[in-house]
């Protein structure tokens, strides 16, 4: 008998080539062992701040919920009353509960959108720098992920996006606020993307699905404003979650909301089927009940904005260049050294862990996650200063 390899070739090669964020996490752990917990700035993982008290209370209330079949199988697309609340929360005329699938986080929502609307062999176009998992979600659905280089600050570049649209393109995925770019797509760029998709439709007869990943939707820093994607392109799917703004990433709760023009009993049946095909069947029941137990899903962005301001000041004090951070948890910084890995390593020697841009398809930058205790931003500030001082002394 010939022995088969233990792992799939795909899993093996992805493990070998990827995992930058996890690698950062491991390095931070090693540094903490060496220098002590309070002496390391771990800006690698996109961990949200602690869940606010109201979210914790809601989970306690949900655990006590004693409704019938509380722990049994439930509708694949979520508790109907939660679908209703989400449709209201989307707040766009014509959006109804029928167009909502409650999912295990935005990861589930994106995977579900790809599964429901695309077929194996299709292409998905994203803007680089991109959230690295987009490649994995696409590959898991048998799709090819194609990166269109963004502009200098990680925003959408219409020229490269247009060039990336090909015969097999069936979806474009945008992420706003962006991970890692920190950029928010406002009304004008969203309208331009829609115009481009419309021209593509006229040329090829193909109406591309626009997937908008808004996992950080409630973390937009004024005066920046998000666009309402549904106002611009009908074939649109919004992918959101409560992971970040409510600090409940481990509870796995998000949703997919499809445009009214895509909403129908057929679409709902397809989404329910795909939720099962993906193997997660439904989003966790207790997390759904917790969301129902909360009267209000609003979040206070102040602790995030304060940290955004602190890291921005640290970056500019070190004389570094960063993309404007308009939302989310990350700052996208240009490496002052041609060899970005040397910059990453030099920061690590100063006890500051960041993720190299290669993880997001753009090699000359690094990503700093600022949703960390303020003291860690202080360590990062000193590290950035020490490294850039050495760079200027050497040149
Ligand atoms: C851009 C982006 N999309 C999706 C996700 C996945 O989010 P969730 O935890 O809601 O699945 C993340 C998580 O970091 C993210 O940064």
């Amino acid at each position: 008998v010939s022995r088969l390899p233990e792992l799939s070739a795909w899993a093996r090669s992805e493990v070998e080539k990827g995992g930058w964020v996890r690698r950062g996490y491991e390095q931070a752990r090693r540094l903490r062992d060496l220098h002590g917990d309070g002496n390391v700035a771990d800006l690698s993982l996109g961990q949200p701040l602690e869940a606010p008290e109201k979210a914790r209370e809601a989970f306690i209330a949900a655990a006590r919920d004693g409704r019938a079949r509380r722990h049994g199988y439930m509708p694949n697309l979520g508790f109907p009353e939660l679908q209703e609340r989400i449709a209201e929360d989307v707040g766009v005329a014509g959006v109804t509960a029928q167009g909502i699938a409650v999912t295990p986080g935005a990861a589930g929502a994106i995977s579900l959108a790809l599964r429901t609307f695309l077929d194996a062999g299709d292409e998905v176009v994203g803007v680089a720098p991109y959230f690295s998992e987009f490649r994995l979600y696409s590959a898991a659905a048998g799709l090819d992920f194609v990166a269109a280089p963004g502009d200098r600050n990680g925003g959408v570049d219409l020229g490269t996006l247009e060039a990336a649209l090909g015969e097999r393109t069936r979806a474009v995925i945008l992420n706003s606020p962006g991970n890692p770019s920190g950029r928010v797509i406002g009304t004008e760029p969203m309208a331009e993307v829609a115009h481009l998709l419309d021209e593509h439709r006229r040329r090829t007869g193909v109406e591309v699905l626009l997937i908008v990943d808004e996992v950080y939707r409630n973390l937009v820093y004024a005066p920046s404003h998000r666009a309402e994607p549904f106002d611009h392109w009908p074939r649109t799917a919004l992918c959101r979650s409560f992971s970040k703004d409510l600090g409940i990433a481990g509870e796995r709760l998000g949703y997919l909301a499809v445009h009214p023009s895509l909403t129908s009993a057929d679409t709902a049946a397809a989404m329910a089927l795909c939720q099962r095909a993906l193997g997660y069947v439904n989003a966790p029941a207790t997390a759904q009940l917790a969301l129902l137990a909360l009267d209000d899903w609003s979040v206070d962005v102040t602790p995030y904005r304060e940290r955004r301001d602190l890291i921005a000041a640290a970056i500019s004090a070190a004389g570094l260049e960063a993309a404007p951070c308009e939302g989310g948890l990350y700052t996208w910084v240009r490496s002052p050294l041609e060899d970005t890995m040397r910059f990453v390593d030099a920061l690590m020697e100063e006890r500051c862990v960041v993720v190299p841009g290669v993880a997001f398809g753009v090699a000359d930058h690094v990503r700093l996650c600022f949703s960390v205790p303020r003291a860690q931003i202080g360590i990062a500030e000193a590290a950035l200063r020490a490294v850039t001082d050495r760079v200027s002394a050497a040149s």
Side-chain angles (χ1 to χ4, degrees):
V1 241
S2 62
R3 240 183 95 93
L4 289 171
E6 280 166 27
L7 301 174
S8 72
W10 177 73
R12 187 179 293 285
S13 85
E14 287 298 330
V15 168
E16 274 165 13
K17 78 177 161 213
W20 287 105
V21 176
R22 188 132 297 272
R23 205 167 299 186
Y25 180 74
E26 295 300 331
Q27 282 160 341
R29 212 186 43 184
R30 206 169 37 80
L31 286 177
R32 274 194 294 268
D33 287 347
L34 274 174
H35 303 283
D37 261 9
N39 297 315
V40 177
D42 179 6
L43 312 192
S44 61
L45 201 64
Q47 188 74 278
L49 294 175
E50 288 291 1
E53 195 52 34
K54 68 173 186 182
R56 292 166 185 252
E57 292 294 332
F59 273 87
I60 293 167
R64 292 212 180 97
D65 191 310
R67 66 181 70 196
R69 296 263 180 252
R70 163 70 180 80
H71 302 288
Y73 283 117
M74 57 169 295
N76 298 133
L77 297 183
F79 287 115
E81 60 268 49
L82 182 58
Q83 290 176 289
E84 297 280 353
R85 281 263 314 259
I86 290 172
E88 276 167 35
D89 185 55
V90 172
V92 175
V95 173
T96 61
Q98 195 179 41
I100 306 295
V102 186
T103 60
I110 298 163
S111 302
L112 181 62
L114 295 174
R115 225 350 166 208
T116 306
F117 296 102
L118 275 71
D119 276 308
D122 292 346
E123 264 176 19
V124 183
V125 171
V127 175
Y130 51 80
F131 176 53
S132 6
E133 311 279 289
F134 291 161
R135 283 184 43 250
L136 301 186
Y137 307 152
S138 303
L143 307 165
D144 292 319
F145 181 79
V146 176
D151 65 21
R152 187 176 164 80
N153 279 323
V156 176
D157 178 321
L158 290 172
T160 60
L161 186 59
E162 183 173 16
L165 298 178
E167 262 176 38
R168 287 196 292 133
T169 308
R170 293 294 178 273
V172 165
I173 183 160
L174 299 179
N175 171 215
S176 167
N179 171 9
S181 72
R183 303 299 305 281
V184 168
I185 302 177
T187 301
E188 205 177 307
M190 190 61 82
E192 286 169 350
V193 169
H195 179 70
L196 198 133
L197 297 182
D198 199 38
E199 283 188 339
H200 182 73
R201 179 181 60 83
R202 251 176 263 181
R203 260 196 324 272
T204 63
V206 175
E207 204 172 271
V208 163
L209 177 74
L210 180 62
I211 298 176
V212 186
D213 174 352
E214 290 197 306
V215 69
Y216 304 98
R217 158 185 77 129
N218 288 325
L219 300 176
V220 173
Y221 309 119
S224 295
H225 272 295
R226 59 177 282 279
E228 188 54 75
F230 280 169
D231 290 346
H232 296 276
W233 185 246
R235 197 173 163 76
T236 293
L238 301 182
C239 300
R240 295 179 175 167
S241 93
F242 301 94
S243 291
K244 308 289 177 162
D245 48 25
L246 283 183
I248 57 165
E251 302 292 351
R252 310 309 302 138
L253 200 75
Y255 64 86
L256 169 66
V258 299
H259 190 275
S261 70
L262 294 172
T263 301
S264 68
D266 281 353
T267 302
M271 292 194 297
L273 174 105
C274 292
Q275 193 99 299
R276 299 199 304 277
L278 286 163
Y280 19 83
V281 185
N282 59 259
T286 305
Q288 296 196 37
L289 293 174
L291 262 287
L292 281 171
L294 278 171
D295 293 333
D296 143 40
W297 296 343
S298 64
V299 286
D300 178 11
V301 301
T302 315
Y304 287 98
R305 200 184 39 229
E306 278 173 9
R307 285 163 172 80
R308 189 275 312 255
D309 293 344
L310 287 174
I311 200 82
I315 287 161
S316 98
L320 291 166
E321 186 191 331
C325 174
E326 298 159 324
L329 315 181
Y330 313 95
T331 296
W332 185 234
V333 179
R334 185 173 296 279
S335 168
L337 296 173
E338 210 171 293
D339 181 352
T340 305
M341 287 313 294
R342 267 187 55 217
F343 181 49
V344 171
D345 290 345
L347 285 172
M348 191 137 59
E349 277 164 33
E350 301 293 333
R351 293 175 281 111
C352 173
V353 184
V354 304
V355 181
V358 62
F360 314 99
V362 175
D364 61 1
H365 276 68
V366 297
R367 184 190 80 173
L368 278 56
C369 173
F370 55 77
S371 62
V372 294
R374 286 185 186 78
Q376 292 196 27
I377 300 185
I379 298 171
E381 176 167 21
L384 291 167
R385 193 79 79 96
V387 172
T388 51
D389 281 353
R390 280 210 300 277
V391 170
S392 358
S395 60

Coordinates of all heavy atoms in Angstrom, one line a residue, residues 331-360:
T331 N -2.5 50.7 12.2 CA -1.8 51.8 11.5 C -0.9 51.1 10.5 O -0.2 50.1 10.9 CB -1.1 52.7 12.5 OG1 -2.1 53.3 13.3 CG2 -0.3 53.8 11.7
W332 N -0.8 51.6 9.3 CA -0.1 51.0 8.2 C 1.1 51.9 7.9 O 1.0 53.1 7.5 CB -1.0 50.9 7.0 CG -0.6 50.3 5.8 CD1 -0.6 50.8 4.5 CD2 -0.1 48.9 5.6 NE1 -0.2 49.9 3.6 CE2 0.1 48.7 4.2 CE3 0.2 47.9 6.4 CZ2 0.6 47.6 3.7 CZ3 0.7 46.7 5.9 CH2 0.9 46.5 4.6
V333 N 2.3 51.4 8.3 CA 3.5 52.3 8.3 C 4.5 51.9 7.3 O 4.8 50.7 7.2 CB 4.1 52.2 9.8 CG1 5.4 53.1 9.8 CG2 3.2 52.6 10.8
R334 N 5.0 52.9 6.6 CA 6.1 52.6 5.6 C 7.4 52.2 6.3 O 7.8 52.9 7.2 CB 6.2 53.8 4.7 CG 7.2 53.6 3.5 CD 7.2 54.8 2.6 NE 5.9 54.9 2.0 CZ 5.4 54.2 0.9 NH1 6.2 53.3 0.3 NH2 4.2 54.4 0.4
S335 N 8.0 51.2 5.8 CA 9.3 50.8 6.4 C 10.4 51.8 6.0 O 10.5 52.1 4.9 CB 9.7 49.4 5.9 OG 11.1 49.2 6.3
P336 N 11.2 52.3 7.0 CA 12.2 53.2 6.7 C 13.4 52.5 6.1 O 14.4 53.1 5.6 CB 12.6 53.8 8.0 CG 12.2 52.8 9.0 CD 11.1 52.0 8.5
L337 N 13.4 51.2 6.1 CA 14.5 50.4 5.6 C 14.0 49.6 4.3 O 12.8 49.2 4.3 CB 15.0 49.3 6.6 CG 15.6 49.9 7.9 CD1 15.9 48.7 8.8 CD2 16.9 50.6 7.5
E338 N 14.9 49.5 3.3 CA 14.4 48.8 2.1 C 14.0 47.4 2.5 O 13.1 46.8 1.9 CB 15.6 48.8 1.1 CG 15.0 48.8 -0.3 CD 16.1 49.1 -1.3 OE1 16.6 50.2 -1.3 OE2 16.4 48.1 -2.1
D339 N 14.8 46.8 3.4 CA 14.5 45.4 3.8 C 13.6 45.5 5.0 O 14.0 45.7 6.2 CB 15.8 44.7 4.2 CG 15.6 43.3 4.6 OD1 14.4 42.9 4.8 OD2 16.6 42.6 4.8
T340 N 12.3 45.3 4.7 CA 11.3 45.5 5.8 C 11.5 44.5 7.0 O 11.2 44.8 8.1 CB 9.9 45.3 5.2 OG1 9.7 46.3 4.2 CG2 8.8 45.6 6.2
M341 N 12.0 43.3 6.6 CA 12.2 42.3 7.7 C 13.2 42.8 8.7 O 13.1 42.5 9.9 CB 12.5 41.0 7.1 CG 11.4 40.2 6.5 SD 9.9 40.2 7.4 CE 10.4 39.2 8.8
R342 N 14.2 43.6 8.2 CA 15.2 44.1 9.1 C 14.6 45.1 10.1 O 15.0 45.2 11.2 CB 16.4 44.8 8.3 CG 17.5 43.8 8.0 CD 18.7 44.5 7.4 NE 19.2 45.6 8.2 CZ 19.7 46.8 7.7 NH1 19.7 46.9 6.4 NH2 20.1 47.7 8.5
F343 N 13.6 45.9 9.5 CA 12.9 46.8 10.4 C 12.1 46.1 11.5 O 12.2 46.4 12.6 CB 12.0 47.7 9.5 CG 11.2 48.7 10.2 CD1 11.9 49.6 11.1 CD2 9.9 48.9 10.0 CE1 11.1 50.6 11.8 CE2 9.1 49.9 10.6 CZ 9.7 50.7 11.6
V344 N 11.4 45.0 11.0 CA 10.6 44.2 11.9 C 11.5 43.6 13.0 O 11.2 43.7 14.2 CB 9.9 43.1 11.2 CG1 9.2 42.1 12.1 CG2 8.8 43.8 10.2
D345 N 12.7 43.1 12.6 CA 13.6 42.5 13.6 C 14.2 43.5 14.5 O 14.3 43.3 15.7 CB 14.7 41.7 12.9 CG 14.2 40.5 12.1 OD1 13.1 40.1 12.5 OD2 14.9 40.0 11.3
A346 N 14.5 44.7 14.0 CA 15.1 45.7 14.8 C 14.0 46.2 15.9 O 14.4 46.4 17.1 CB 15.5 46.9 14.0
L347 N 12.8 46.3 15.5 CA 11.7 46.6 16.5 C 11.6 45.6 17.5 O 11.4 45.8 18.7 CB 10.4 46.9 15.8 CG 10.3 48.2 15.0 CD1 9.0 48.2 14.2 CD2 10.3 49.4 15.9
M348 N 11.8 44.3 17.1 CA 11.6 43.2 18.0 C 12.7 43.3 19.1 O 12.5 43.0 20.2 CB 11.7 41.9 17.3 CG 11.3 40.7 18.1 SD 10.2 39.7 17.3 CE 11.3 39.3 15.9
E349 N 13.9 43.7 18.6 CA 15.0 43.8 19.6 C 14.7 44.8 20.6 O 15.2 44.8 21.7 CB 16.3 44.1 18.9 CG 17.0 42.9 18.3 CD 18.1 43.3 17.3 OE1 18.7 44.4 17.4 OE2 18.3 42.5 16.3
E350 N 13.9 45.8 20.2 CA 13.4 46.8 21.2 C 12.1 46.4 21.9 O 11.4 47.2 22.4 CB 13.2 48.2 20.5 CG 14.5 48.7 19.8 CD 15.6 49.1 20.7 OE1 15.3 49.4 21.9 OE2 16.8 49.0 20.4
R351 N 11.8 45.1 21.8 CA 10.6 44.6 22.5 C 9.3 45.0 21.9 O 8.3 45.2 22.7 CB 10.7 44.8 24.0 CG 11.8 44.1 24.7 CD 12.0 44.4 26.1 NE 12.6 45.7 26.3 CZ 12.1 46.8 26.8 NH1 10.8 46.8 27.2 NH2 12.7 47.9 27.0
C352 N 9.3 45.3 20.6 CA 8.0 45.7 20.0 C 7.7 44.8 18.8 O 8.6 44.7 17.9 CB 8.2 47.2 19.6 SG 6.8 47.8 18.6
V353 N 6.6 44.1 18.8 CA 6.3 43.2 17.8 C 5.2 43.7 16.8 O 4.1 44.1 17.3 CB 5.8 41.8 18.4 CG1 5.6 40.8 17.4 CG2 6.8 41.3 19.5
V354 N 5.6 43.7 15.5 CA 4.6 44.2 14.5 C 4.6 43.1 13.4 O 5.3 42.2 13.4 CB 5.1 45.5 13.9 CG1 5.2 46.6 15.0 CG2 6.4 45.4 13.1
V355 N 3.6 43.3 12.5 CA 3.5 42.3 11.4 C 4.0 42.9 10.1 O 3.7 44.0 9.7 CB 2.0 41.9 11.2 CG1 1.9 40.8 10.1 CG2 1.4 41.3 12.5
P356 N 4.9 42.2 9.4 CA 5.5 42.7 8.1 C 4.4 42.7 7.1 O 3.5 41.8 7.0 CB 6.6 41.7 7.8 CG 6.2 40.4 8.5 CD 5.5 40.9 9.8
G357 N 4.4 43.7 6.2 CA 3.4 43.9 5.2 C 3.3 42.8 4.2 O 2.2 42.6 3.6
V358 N 4.3 42.0 4.1 CA 4.2 40.8 3.2 C 3.0 39.9 3.5 O 2.4 39.3 2.6 CB 5.6 40.0 3.2 CG1 5.9 39.4 4.5 CG2 5.6 38.9 2.1
A359 N 2.6 40.0 4.8 CA 1.5 39.2 5.2 C 0.2 39.7 4.5 O -0.8 38.9 4.4 CB 1.3 39.3 6.7
F360 N 0.2 40.9 4.0 CA -1.0 41.5 3.4 C -0.8 41.9 2.0 O -1.5 42.6 1.4 CB -1.4 42.8 4.2 CG -1.3 42.6 5.7 CD1 -0.2 43.0 6.5 CD2 -2.3 42.0 6.4 CE1 -0.1 42.8 7.8 CE2 -2.3 41.7 7.8 CZ -1.2 42.2 8.5

